[in-house]
Amino acid sequence: MILSASIISSNFLNLKKDLQEVRDAGVDWLHIDVMDGAFVPNITVGPFILPFCKKATGMPLDVHLMINHPENLIETFAHAGADRLTIHVENNPNIVRTLQEIHKLNVAAGVVLNPGTSVHSLDSLFPFVDHILVMTVNPGFSGQKFIPEMIEKIKVIRKKIDDQNLNIKIEVDGGINGDTIASVVKAGADIIVSATAIFGHPLGIKAGVDELRQNA
Ligand code: ZN
């Protein structure tokens, strides 16, 4: 299981300290949630933050683009240090071209499904992706409650991947904490994104990470 900590729940006044603490607690990747105020009703950070995160930690950067026209910013994020770029299936008519362009930049490419998007939208995309991200909350804000109906969706995608013997990882994002992590791992998720359960744990970041690993 790969643990990816979403930096949007960190304390930006202590970003370096928080991110180094996450790395030292054994988190594998940093997850950067990029929101544009149009694709989702919130705004977070842009590509400028990536070199700082990389310099402070040396960790792989797992970038989730919740933006319209991701094709316009792929190159910028790749040059800023993204190791993985994930783009939404929704509102994305040029998705295959954009996935091919991500690969040309030597970056891992993935797609993400909102809770209301059917798994059938993936059927023609399997040859073009390294990972599939399943949103387990509605995208836009951290700290939301996990949507349990998404477990079935993870299982269906797991089966499709296994039946075709594909080398594609399943990532989950939204509401993952000590209570919900076991259910998504059991359903077949390989990469777990967590924000509040790590940065907002009452006993600190290390305790948050340990709880997630133990309960998985
Ligand atoms: Zn995300």
Side-chain angles (χ1 to χ4, degrees), residues 132-179:
I132 292 163
L133 172 55
V134 178
M135 287 303 301
T136 41
V137 300
N138 294 306
F141 299 91
S142 71
Q144 296 185 84
K145 204 166 170 289
F146 179 76
I147 302 173
E149 287 79 5
M150 294 303 112
I151 303 261
E152 196 51 40
K153 194 181 204 173
I154 298 165
K155 286 184 187 166
V156 171
I157 297 170
R158 178 85 265 161
K159 190 171 182 317
K160 282 176 185 255
I161 290 171
D162 291 348
D163 284 352
Q164 298 175 68
N165 206 11
L166 300 170
N167 183 20
I168 296 174
K169 288 192 178 340
I170 299 178
E171 183 169 17
V172 289
D173 186 4
I176 309 295
N177 56 36
D179 297 327

Side-chain angles (χ1 to χ4, degrees), residues 31 33 64 66 133 173 193:
H31 185 84
D33 282 309
H64 175 190
M66 285 165 270
L133 172 55
D173 186 4
V193 177

Side-chain angles (χ1 to χ4, degrees), residues 30 35 43 54 68 75 120 129 132 139 160 163 179 188 215:
L30 294 177
M35 308 185 192
I43 298 175
K54 193 132 227 181
N68 287 329
E75 200 170 346
H120 296 297
V129 297
I132 292 163
K160 282 176 185 255
D163 284 352
D179 297 327
N215 292 14

Side-chain angles (χ1 to χ4, degrees), residues 71-174:
E71 64 274 19
N72 294 344
L73 284 166
I74 292 306
E75 200 170 346
T76 307
F77 276 100
H79 291 158
D83 295 278
R84 315 186 77 83
L85 280 167
T86 311
I87 57 175
H88 272 264
V89 166
E90 304 84 9
N91 195 24
N92 199 343
N94 301 312
I95 190 161
V96 168
R97 187 196 299 158
T98 308
L99 291 166
Q100 290 169 326
E101 279 168 9
I102 294 170
H103 278 144
K104 271 189 217 151
L105 292 159
N106 290 319
V107 173
V111 291
V112 42
L113 303 183
N114 278 341
T117 304
S118 164
V119 292
H120 296 297
S121 60
L122 295 170
D123 288 346
S124 55
L125 298 176
F126 284 112
F128 305 99
V129 297
D130 301 297
H131 61 279
I132 292 163
L133 172 55
V134 178
M135 287 303 301
T136 41
V137 300
N138 294 306
F141 299 91
S142 71
Q144 296 185 84
K145 204 166 170 289
F146 179 76
I147 302 173
E149 287 79 5
M150 294 303 112
I151 303 261
E152 196 51 40
K153 194 181 204 173
I154 298 165
K155 286 184 187 166
V156 171
I157 297 170
R158 178 85 265 161
K159 190 171 182 317
K160 282 176 185 255
I161 290 171
D162 291 348
D163 284 352
Q164 298 175 68
N165 206 11
L166 300 170
N167 183 20
I168 296 174
K169 288 192 178 340
I170 299 178
E171 183 169 17
V172 289
D173 186 4

